[in-house]
Amino acid sequence: MNLSVGIVGLPNVGKSTLFNALLKKPASFAEASAGQAGSGGIARVGNFPFTTIEPNIGVVPVKDLRLQKLAEITKEEHNPSTSSGPGGMTELPPIKPATVEFFDIAGLVKGASQGHGLGNKFLSHIREVAIIAHVIRTFEDPDVVREGSTGSPLDDYKIVRTELELADLEKGGEISKKPEIIVLNVSEKEYKIDSIQKLCTEYMRLLNLQNDDIVVVSAKIEEELAILSEEEQKEYLADLGLKESGLERLIRKAYEKLDLISFLTTTGGKEVRAWTLRRGSTALSASGEIHTDFAEHFIKAEVVTYEDFVANNGWKGSREHGKTKLEGRDYIVQDGDIIEFKIGT
């Protein structure tokens, strides 16, 4: 399944800056992701309302450290000696992570549900996504136009929420009930672990949230991070007391909010890949994510956990130690399951 996230909010709160940071992956990560870096181009950023009119769409790889280990084991399993030999491998198989589609949707303004500010068009774009990332700017910048803003982050949030609810009343639909992540765009000086924890607690109270559906980012810092190497990113984040970038936390939060998991495949050693699936889905549904023919001709699914696969150095060792299981179409797939589907003709 494709996970799609719509970035929404008032104009000039940092949506397009955040979107651009998602697409500017460092070369090392893009290579490891087998060319899965963002597509659709860089969003235009400007200090005036409605810089974005048509939604920019970017496809972003989901960082999954399990894939690198899986590729190393797969290479060794198909090339146990220094010589490749018949059918052997001298390089890691291609790594294909799961992906997320991000939609940079133009800023909503008060009256959008009645068509103000091209609101009807923008609201229709929101209907296309699975989850909303609602960006709120928590700091003042005299150089940035606050179109439609009251100057209060809380009131800004309420403006957008009201327009979504009115749109449902006017046009029908459920966009106001879509799953939502609150993205607090903070100043660079606030982007450190202590401030982030304090802001999450404060805004959970202010917005009367029952769950911690808040991700704190500094869109400016995220842009700076995105052009650094992976090692440089780690050092930068460590200085801030952080282990993950805001963008990584946003993707992880979207998975949690939509109750998604990843299962993994090795495709006979030709590639290693992660696939997105709703928690509780069956092996039959998982096979259909790969190809509709798999679901139509499904026989069995051979399954091994990631931990057992690593501990036993691949499929051969896992089979020899009795760690693989043949499961039927109703087997409930678990996060990290490595699956080889048995398909009929």
Side-chain angles (χ1 to χ4, degrees):
M1 64 173 293
N2 290 325
L3 170 57
S4 55
V5 180
I7 304 176
V8 304
L10 292 177
N12 295 337
V13 294
K15 299 185 305 300
S16 292
T17 302
L18 186 66
F19 177 83
N20 288 342
L22 285 160
L23 299 192
K24 292 180 182 177
K25 294 296 178 187
S28 61
F29 187 76
E31 290 165 4
S33 302
Q36 292 292 324
S39 63
I42 301 299
R44 187 181 176 200
V45 179
N47 184 23
F48 48 89
F50 309 121
T51 305
T52 304
I53 296 178
E54 291 298 327
N56 297 293
I57 303 173
V59 180
V60 180
V62 179
K63 191 171 184 178
D64 190 335
L65 298 179
R66 296 174 297 192
L67 291 173
Q68 180 68 24
K69 185 65 176 177
L70 198 60
E72 292 168 1
I73 291 173
T74 299
K75 173 183 176 294
E76 181 62 26
E77 190 170 28
H78 286 262
N79 178 30
S81 67
T82 54
S83 173
S84 62
M89 302 176 68
T90 57
E91 298 180 352
L92 290 179
I95 295 173
K96 296 189 177 181
T99 58
V100 177
E101 278 190 327
F102 280 90
F103 289 65
D104 175 30
I105 298 172
L108 293 171
V109 296
K110 191 172 183 178
S113 57
Q114 282 78 46
H116 295 179
L118 302 179
N120 289 334
K121 190 172 187 179
F122 302 158
L123 289 164
S124 70
H125 296 151
I126 295 173
R127 289 187 171 91
E128 299 173 11
V129 300
I131 189 169
I132 297 169
H134 187 161
V135 180
I136 305 168
R137 183 154 64 88
T138 66
F139 62 97
E140 286 296 332
D141 186 340
D143 297 325
V144 176
V145 175
R146 298 278 299 216
E147 176 70 19
S149 171
T150 64
S152 161
L154 182 58
D155 288 343
D156 289 353
Y157 172 80
K158 290 178 179 177
I159 288 171
V160 174
R161 290 303 309 171
T162 297
E163 292 306 319
L164 297 181
E165 290 165 7
L166 289 173
D168 283 348
L169 291 173
E170 292 284 334
K171 307 292 182 182
E174 295 287 321
I175 61 174
S176 68
K177 296 184 175 69
K178 272 187 183 290
E180 179 184 55
I181 300 168
I182 311 301
V183 181
L184 301 180
N185 182 18
V186 304
S187 66
E188 295 171 74
K189 67 180 181 181
E190 290 181 294
Y191 199 50
K192 47 193 175 185
I193 187 64
D194 292 342
S195 299
I196 288 173
Q197 291 173 344
K198 183 179 178 181
L199 282 165
C200 285
T201 300
E202 178 185 358
Y203 275 85
M204 278 188 68
R205 178 181 59 80
L206 289 173
L207 300 175
N208 195 28
L209 299 178
Q210 300 302 312
N211 299 306
D212 183 10
D213 294 330
I214 297 175
V215 174
V216 177
V217 306
S218 168
K220 181 64 176 174
I221 287 181
E222 294 297 328
E223 269 203 317
E224 294 171 2
L225 279 171
I227 61 174
L228 300 178
S229 70
E230 190 167 346
E231 198 57 41
E232 289 170 330
Q233 283 189 24
K234 288 180 181 177
E235 292 176 6
Y236 195 142
L237 289 168
D239 288 341
L240 300 172
L242 302 172
K243 293 182 179 180
E244 293 179 299
S245 71
L247 301 180
E248 288 170 344
R249 284 182 276 115
L250 174 57
I251 291 174
R252 181 162 51 81
K253 182 64 72 174
Y255 265 67
E256 291 173 3
K257 186 75 175 172
L258 293 175
D259 208 13
L260 302 177
I261 62 171
S262 293
F263 72 93
L264 313 172
T265 58
T266 62
T267 318
K270 296 177 182 177
E271 69 173 28
V272 298
R273 185 164 183 165
W275 305 82
T276 303
L277 194 67
R278 289 204 180 276
R279 190 181 303 277
S281 295
T282 64
L284 182 65
S285 295
S287 70
E289 291 295 325
I290 297 175
H291 199 285
T292 53
D293 285 350
F294 279 32
E296 291 175 8
H297 302 288
F298 181 97
I299 297 176
K300 289 286 184 181
E302 187 173 16
V303 182
V304 58
T305 67
Y306 172 78
E307 291 76 16
D308 284 338
F309 189 90
V310 171
N312 293 284
N313 295 311
W315 279 111
K316 185 173 183 292
S318 297
R319 287 165 180 148
E320 288 174 350
H321 288 87
K323 296 300 183 180
T324 66
K325 294 182 180 179
L326 283 176
E327 304 284 2
R329 60 177 57 209
D330 294 329
Y331 169 73
I332 302 300
V333 177
Q334 304 299 310
D335 183 60
D337 275 352
I338 301 171
I339 304 179
E340 188 171 286
F341 293 101
K342 313 296 183 184
I343 306 300
T345 56

